[in-house]
């Protein structure tokens, strides 16, 4: 049954992205989930009503709610734009690590042996060893992508070279990436309350 749920969830997701009707797939998925003991509102409503009585927009919302209720994640395969977000974030992060000599050719790779996650690698193919990879959902939010990638690369630099990098242009202290007010920034501990040293991807310009 689990495989059938995964197959139907993927079909519902693909059809929703394409703007197509999902009547049959959504109802079939709801019936499977009901048999499996799920009692979300969307499950009960899709089972109780005739698909022909549900307008297209409402059906689409019910189907989307169904996917949310079961925690469906399309991964990278069904949502390839997530990988593009990670790749853009890598390019921005690499600019702040240029002086560390560890990020030459930094890029995102997919590795089957780590499941759906993506890994960071250098130009020679060496995988960064300090992190556990990037979940596909990191590609849903450019700010989250920047922060997670910056932290992973920073930890790799520290592990390889016992080096704190990057550093605040003003204080020469190590900085850490944080999400603040909808942006990714480097926070420095210097000064009485600390301060933002610059945006992730723009530290050199800020300095």
């Amino acid at each position: 049954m689990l495989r059938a749920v995964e197959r139907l969830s993927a079909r519902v997701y693909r059809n929703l992205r394409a703007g197509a009707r999902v009547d049959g797939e959504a109802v079939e998925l709801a019936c499977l989930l009901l048999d499996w003991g799920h009692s979300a509102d969307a499950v009960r409503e899709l089972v109780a009503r005739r698909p022909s009585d549900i307008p297209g927009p409402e059906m689409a919302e019910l189907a989307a709610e169904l996917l949310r209720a079961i925690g469906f994640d399309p991964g990278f395969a069904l949502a390839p734009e997530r990988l593009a977000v990670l790749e853009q974030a890598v390019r921005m992060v690499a600019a702040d690590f240029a002086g560390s000599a560890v990020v030459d050719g930094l890029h995102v790779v997919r590795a089957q042996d780590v499941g759906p996650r993506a890994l960071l690698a250098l130009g020679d193919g060496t995988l960064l060893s300090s992190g556990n990879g990037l979940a596909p959902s990191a590609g849903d939010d450019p700010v989250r992508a920047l922060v997670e990638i910056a932290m992973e690369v920073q930890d790799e630099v520290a592990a390889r070279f016992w080096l704190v990098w990057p550093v605040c242009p003003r204080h020469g202290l190590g900085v850490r990436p944080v999400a603040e007010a909808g942006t990714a920034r480097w926070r420095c501990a210097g000064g009485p309350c600390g301060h933002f040293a610059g945006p992730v991807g723009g530290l050199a310009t800020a300095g």
Side-chain angles (χ1 to χ4, degrees):
M1 181 179 287
L2 178 59
R3 185 162 297 180
V5 168
E6 292 175 345
R7 175 178 53 80
L8 280 169
S9 298
R11 286 172 56 188
V12 168
Y13 180 83
R14 281 194 296 266
N15 284 346
L16 286 175
R17 279 176 63 100
R21 292 279 299 193
V22 293
D23 303 42
E25 296 91 342
V27 171
E28 186 178 353
L29 178 58
C31 291
L32 279 177
L33 293 173
L34 187 66
D35 290 342
W36 212 0
H38 283 269
S39 58
D41 291 343
V43 171
R44 294 196 301 269
E45 189 157 357
L46 283 168
V47 170
R49 297 171 63 184
R50 292 187 304 178
S52 59
D53 293 337
I54 305 176
E58 185 181 358
M59 174 63 78
E61 179 53 39
L62 285 170
E65 185 180 337
L66 201 63
L67 296 182
R68 289 193 293 269
I70 62 176
F72 174 75
D73 190 323
F76 291 115
L78 296 179
E81 68 277 3
R82 289 170 151 184
L83 204 56
V85 170
L86 297 183
E87 290 168 345
Q88 173 63 21
V90 162
R91 288 191 289 270
M92 294 178 65
V93 168
D96 289 342
F97 287 85
S100 70
V102 73
V103 296
D104 290 341
L106 184 70
H107 61 284
V108 180
V109 297
R110 296 288 310 283
Q112 297 300 323
D113 58 349
V114 295
R117 304 179 80 83
L119 300 177
L120 297 177
L122 303 180
D124 63 2
T126 302
L127 296 177
L128 270 62
S129 59
S130 59
N132 296 317
L134 302 162
S137 58
D140 291 335
D141 180 3
V143 173
R144 175 185 169 188
L146 281 169
V147 171
E148 290 194 12
I149 290 171
M151 291 183 68
E152 189 160 330
V153 178
Q154 188 174 53
D155 290 345
E156 182 74 12
V157 171
R160 287 191 181 205
F161 301 104
W162 291 75
L163 174 68
V164 175
W165 192 274
V167 295
C168 173
R170 187 189 311 174
H171 298 104
L173 300 174
V175 293
R176 290 294 282 178
V178 297
E180 178 78 15
T183 62
R185 303 178 181 178
W186 292 107
R187 173 175 280 280
C188 171
C193 301
H195 71 100
F196 291 114
V200 175
L203 187 61
T205 302

